[in-house]
Amino acid sequence: MTKTGTNLKGNRFFDNGEKTSAGPVNKKMIEVRELTKSYGPTVAVNKVSFEAHAGEVLGFLGPNGAGKTTTMRILTCYLAADAGSATVAGYDIFQESIEVRKRIGYLPESAPLYTDMGVLEYLNFMTQVRQLPKSERKARIRSVIDTCGLEDVIQKDIGELSKGYRQRLGLAQSLIHDPPILILDEPTSGLDPNQIIEIRNLIRNIGQEKLVLFSTHILSEVSATCTRILIINNGKIVANGTPDELASQAKGEEIVHIAIRGTQAAVESELDELDFISQWTHVDTTDGIVGYQINAAQDSNAAEALFHVVVKNGWSLTELRQESADLEDVFLNLTDKEQTHVQNQQSAEQADDNNDA
Amino acid sequence: MTNITAIFKKEFRSYFNSPIAYIFITFFLGLSSWLFFRGFFFGNQAEMRGFFGLMPWIFLFFIPAVTMKLWAEEKKIGTIEILMTLPIRDYEVVVGKFLASFALLIVTVLLSLVIPFSVMYFGDPDGGTIFAGYTGLLLMGAAYLAIGLFASTLTENQIVAFIFGISTCFVLLIIGEDFVLFNAPNWLYPIFSYLGLGAHYNSILRGVLDSRDIIYYLSVIGFFLYLSTLAVESRKWR
């Protein structure tokens, strides 16, 4: 797991390097402006706008029911939006839907496939409906079988396949016409850890030249795979940036936990002197060791500065720990508040309903 | 056209990949032969009228069973999401699926030619009426198929599609029956007698292939295929 993690990082930097140097990789592939879609009174997608370029792996992150699937369905021309506009590969998704569909490979959630068909039969069907020239069909089928590791099951019926193989076949289906844009809805859901890693590697490889837009509600997935993250909550985009950018946004102020062997009064008067500390809280005193939680300004290197203060005063340090903010904090920060808000709203509505009854 | 062909081939093969086609053909032939021949020998006449007379009622139950899965199953297992995001127009899928079910009907009807051949063994039936009867059979069957296909676009539950297909066909069938026509208000009489699915079939059975009857069936087919396309497109706006 760790090993793969490092590999990913390497890849990611490599990707970024390529992006700045190579022209076509930077091409804008998706442009979404103020897209809105409601189901009855529920607003599923609320004025969503974003852009995506070739060579990006864009992670669509959000809690269940945030509007990820609806957005993807609109981009793939399965659903129509109520308002807003979007272009895919330069084509308008409402006016030139057939052109858009030709350029997208789409894997819907839980990889729905015809269970009564054989694997080869299915792929062959896809080459026909994707209008691939007859001469290329065999080669394309071979190529996606290799890419997605389907060699062992080509003789089977889809109904006999395990969840992992179905997911791979779904991916194979979306790649069969070699599309510049790949839209994958929860491609790793329901897979075991090994399969998840395989699919992620596949996505990263594909993402080096194509645009991959995939959704997930699993955090580790995006930090492991994506070059950019869109966090969506209650139909709105609440964050948009690289994993590192988002993590540093979340940091805000540094939080340091420190425990010092020394006199409480002396320590506290010293803490008051330090101007990078915005707030300190005495946590506990045990056996002459005083513990504090210290909130310090962003990028103040509070931990290091505190260490020097302790040394200067001749105290001894028993604990010094900096809390690190990561994606998880971003995610929780951005999605939690609004969710509580919604929950309140819902319970209010429920109360109303009860009154009506 | 290549799109329609691809959908057609996939759907037609899917009938034979699953037991549906075999069950349909076996039961259809068994039931219609039994019902026909048990009366045939009493009549002491080498004619097929009894067979053709049964068909509107047998089709009523058999045809919606052929069409019920065409859309309902796609919706249920979610394959519709891949299908409708392919670079294919909605009507092409509708037509492809319709033609596949029609091809299954043709296969079945061809196999039922055993019956007229047996009748020929016993006597000398009128070839013209038999030919007209089979033409009528295919036209009426295609109209039933279009209605059943439409029923299937409305739900993801195959049973609901089946029942809804039967009821729609049933209503369109009985409004042309004499019993209903005699009891209907006068102003409704011409409308009902024109719209009735069975009346045009009966007029074809008399051995006359009237263009009005053919146009009627083609209009019913076209109308319900159009409705099916609208129903499939309506997913976008819900």
Side-chain angles (χ1 to χ4, degrees):
Chain A
M1 200 61 196
T2 336
K3 202 180 154 211
T4 328
T6 15
N7 279 344
L8 309 183
K9 266 229 166 99
N11 259 344
R12 198 156 72 212
F13 289 129
F14 179 66
D15 271 5
N16 286 344
E18 262 204 343
K19 232 194 300 183
T20 42
S21 60
V25 177
N26 230 343
K27 201 175 150 201
K28 189 194 289 176
M29 295 308 278
I30 293 184
E31 186 174 5
V32 177
R33 270 174 262 106
E34 306 255 302
L35 217 54
T36 301
K37 167 90 186 170
S38 329
Y39 299 109
T42 333
V43 184
V45 173
N46 193 354
K47 292 192 177 165
V48 162
S49 305
F50 66 90
E51 285 180 10
H53 301 85
E56 275 191 303
V57 177
L58 197 61
F60 227 35
L61 183 66
N64 292 325
K68 299 174 298 225
T69 300
T70 306
T71 309
M72 292 184 152
R73 284 182 172 169
I74 294 172
L75 286 177
T76 52
C77 308
Y78 181 70
L79 294 177
D82 300 338
S85 66
T87 57
V88 171
Y91 294 96
D92 186 274
I93 57 167
F94 304 121
Q95 305 301 322
E96 297 151 305
S97 123
I98 295 282
E99 294 303 315
V100 169
R101 295 189 227 173
K102 280 182 186 165
R103 285 160 182 82
I104 291 182
Y106 178 41
L107 172 62
E109 199 174 345
S110 75
L113 303 164
Y114 299 106
T115 44
D116 57 356
M117 288 177 106
V119 171
L120 273 185
E121 188 189 358
Y122 179 68
L123 289 175
N124 196 34
F125 167 65
M126 293 309 290
T127 61
Q128 290 169 21
V129 283
R130 286 287 183 186
Q131 290 125 23
L132 299 184
K134 272 209 172 91
S135 53
E136 288 176 22
R137 287 182 189 170
K138 273 219 169 96
R140 284 305 306 162
I141 292 178
R142 174 89 338 242
S143 146
V144 295
I145 284 174
D146 290 343
T147 317
C148 303
L150 288 167
E151 191 57 54
D152 297 340
V153 296
I154 48 175
Q155 296 303 333
K156 287 193 177 177
D157 274 353
I158 296 176
E160 303 168 37
L161 298 186
S162 65
K163 175 84 183 142
Y165 273 117
R166 281 191 201 194
Q167 205 76 29
R168 290 193 214 182
L169 182 57
L171 205 57
Q173 161 276 128
S174 69
L175 287 167
I176 195 109
H177 53 304
D178 199 17
I181 298 159
L182 211 56
I183 296 186
L184 314 171
D185 198 354
E186 311 231 340
T188 57
S189 75
L191 300 184
D192 69 39
N194 286 327
Q195 293 168 330
I196 290 182
I197 290 173
E198 278 172 29
I199 298 273
R200 282 183 194 165
N201 286 333
L202 207 57
I203 290 176
R204 262 193 315 277
N205 285 334
I206 298 165
Q208 299 198 343
E209 44 199 278
K210 300 176 192 298
L211 165 64
V212 183
L213 174 63
F214 82 97
S215 75
T216 178
H217 57 270
I218 303 163
L219 273 162
S220 58
E221 196 133 294
V222 282
S223 47
T225 321
C226 297
T227 56
R228 199 147 63 83
I229 298 174
L230 289 174
I231 299 183
I232 185 168
N233 190 38
N234 288 327
K236 284 186 186 147
I237 294 207
V238 288
N240 179 356
T242 66
D244 294 341
E245 276 171 13
L246 291 188
S248 69
Q249 263 179 32
K251 272 179 191 157
E253 51 181 21
E254 289 181 7
I255 296 170
V256 180
H257 296 270
I258 190 168
I260 301 168
R261 187 180 293 280
T263 23
Q264 189 174 349
V267 172
E268 283 176 8
S269 73
E270 195 70 46
L271 288 179
D272 284 334
E273 296 291 303
L274 300 169
D275 52 4
F276 60 83
I277 292 178
S278 56
Q279 190 194 344
W280 56 263
T281 329
H282 176 238
V283 183
D284 58 353
T285 309
T286 33
D287 303 333
I289 298 171
V290 281
Y292 295 93
Q293 180 185 325
I294 290 165
N295 295 35
Q298 188 174 359
D299 296 328
S300 57
N301 289 326
E304 207 177 325
L306 283 168
F307 171 76
H308 288 302
V309 171
V310 171
V311 171
K312 195 183 74 191
N313 287 289
W315 301 323
S316 48
L317 196 59
T318 60
E319 187 194 347
L320 183 60
R321 175 166 57 88
Q322 182 161 0
E323 253 181 37
S324 62
D326 54 15
L327 267 182
E328 201 152 339
D329 296 308
V330 189
F331 185 70
L332 290 177
N333 273 339
L334 291 170
T335 56
D336 230 28
K337 281 177 223 153
E338 302 203 22
Q339 231 166 21
T340 356
H341 174 67
V342 172
Q343 270 161 6
N344 289 342
Q345 243 179 6
Q346 274 173 348
S347 47
E349 276 164 22
Q350 264 168 7
D352 283 350
D353 288 348
N354 290 344
N355 288 344
D356 290 346
Chain B
M1 196 60 211
T2 48
N3 292 334
I4 295 180
T5 317
I7 299 287
F8 166 80
K9 278 201 271 187
K10 183 233 146 211
E11 292 294 345
F12 187 64
R13 204 180 292 178
S14 137
Y15 277 128
F16 288 90
N17 275 349
S18 66
I20 298 178
Y22 306 103
I23 293 177
F24 174 73
I25 292 172
T26 316
F27 275 86
F28 176 81
L29 294 182
L31 185 69
S32 51
S33 317
W34 163 252
L35 289 177
F36 171 62
F37 281 113
R38 72 195 265 269
F40 176 71
F41 296 105
F42 294 110
N44 208 17
Q45 285 214 324
E47 57 164 27
M48 292 277 292
R49 200 177 294 161
F51 173 78
F52 291 121
L54 286 169
M55 284 303 121
W57 303 101
I58 293 186
F59 275 2
L60 193 56
F61 294 94
F62 275 84
I63 293 219
V66 169
T67 51
M68 65 181 186
K69 73 151 200 167
L70 286 174
W71 286 101
E73 193 179 53
E74 301 259 9
K75 289 185 182 186
K76 185 93 180 177
I77 58 179
T79 44
I80 189 172
E81 217 174 310
I82 292 181
L83 186 66
M84 302 323 280
T85 52
L86 294 170
I88 309 182
R89 312 228 170 247
D90 291 0
Y91 80 85
E92 292 177 319
V93 186
V94 169
V95 172
K97 281 173 181 279
F98 169 74
L99 290 179
S101 64
F102 189 52
L104 177 63
L105 182 70
I106 291 178
V107 170
T108 315
V109 165
L110 283 180
L111 289 170
S112 80
L113 285 176
V114 181
I115 298 173
F117 281 120
S118 324
V119 173
M120 276 180 212
Y121 173 79
F122 292 113
D124 186 23
D126 177 11
T129 41
I130 292 182
F131 175 77
Y134 269 98
T135 313
L137 204 60
L138 286 177
L139 283 171
M140 184 182 61
Y144 276 59
L145 286 169
I147 295 169
L149 185 75
F150 170 62
S152 185
T153 57
L154 299 178
T155 170
E156 61 174 47
N157 186 322
Q158 296 196 29
I159 306 295
V160 172
F162 179 63
I163 305 282
F164 187 68
I166 291 183
S167 351
T168 313
C169 291
F170 179 68
V171 169
L172 278 176
L173 182 61
I174 58 160
I175 57 170
E177 293 274 299
D178 292 343
F179 177 77
V180 176
L181 286 178
F182 288 142
N183 292 299
N186 276 340
W187 61 275
L188 269 178
Y189 185 94
I191 301 173
F192 274 12
S193 74
Y194 182 75
L195 287 183
L197 272 174
H200 296 268
Y201 174 65
N202 290 333
S203 98
I204 292 175
L205 283 192
R206 276 179 227 119
V208 196
L209 272 179
D210 192 330
S211 60
R212 274 178 303 174
D213 298 325
I214 297 173
I215 288 170
Y216 164 80
Y217 282 118
L218 294 182
S219 324
V220 171
I221 295 164
F223 178 68
F224 279 98
L225 292 187
Y226 176 68
L227 284 189
S228 307
T229 311
L230 287 188
V232 171
E233 271 170 6
S234 76
R235 72 172 186 279
K236 290 192 167 183
W237 311 106
R238 268 179 292 185

